[in-house]
Amino acid sequence: MSDHVYKVVEVVGSHSDSIEKAIENAVARAAETIKNMRWFEVVETRGHLEDGKVGHYQVTLKIGFTYE
C-alpha cells in the first residue's frame, strides 16, 4: 500500500427528497471541478422546514481528494 496525502474541502448539498440525494448532489457538483476525489464524510445533517414539514434536507460533507 502506498502512502497518500489528501486535500479536504467542505461542501453542502441539499435536496427536497432525501439525505442520500443531498449527498449525491454535493458529490456530483464537486466532481465537476475537483479531480481524484477518494472519500467523503458526513459531518452535519440539517433541514429546512416549511409549514411544519420538511422542505429540504441539507448535508455538510468533507470530501478528500489526492494531489496529481
Side-chain angles (χ1 to χ4, degrees):
M1 179 177 181
S2 60
D3 295 330
H4 293 91
V5 174
Y6 296 95
K7 171 76 175 171
V8 179
V9 296
E10 192 169 272
V11 298
V12 178
S14 65
H15 200 279
S16 59
D17 291 340
S18 70
I19 291 169
E20 290 82 6
K21 289 182 180 180
I23 293 169
E24 291 170 5
N25 276 351
V27 170
R29 180 62 180 89
E32 292 178 13
T33 57
I34 300 172
K35 297 179 182 179
N36 303 317
M37 294 191 311
R38 300 293 183 227
W39 55 266
F40 74 89
E41 174 187 0
V42 175
V43 295
E44 185 175 28
T45 306
R46 62 185 174 278
H48 177 74
L49 299 174
E50 296 175 359
D51 299 322
K53 296 181 182 178
V54 175
H56 66 269
Y57 300 90
Q58 296 175 325
V59 180
T60 302
L61 303 176
K62 288 185 180 179
I63 297 177
F65 60 96
T66 56
Y67 288 107
E68 289 187 343

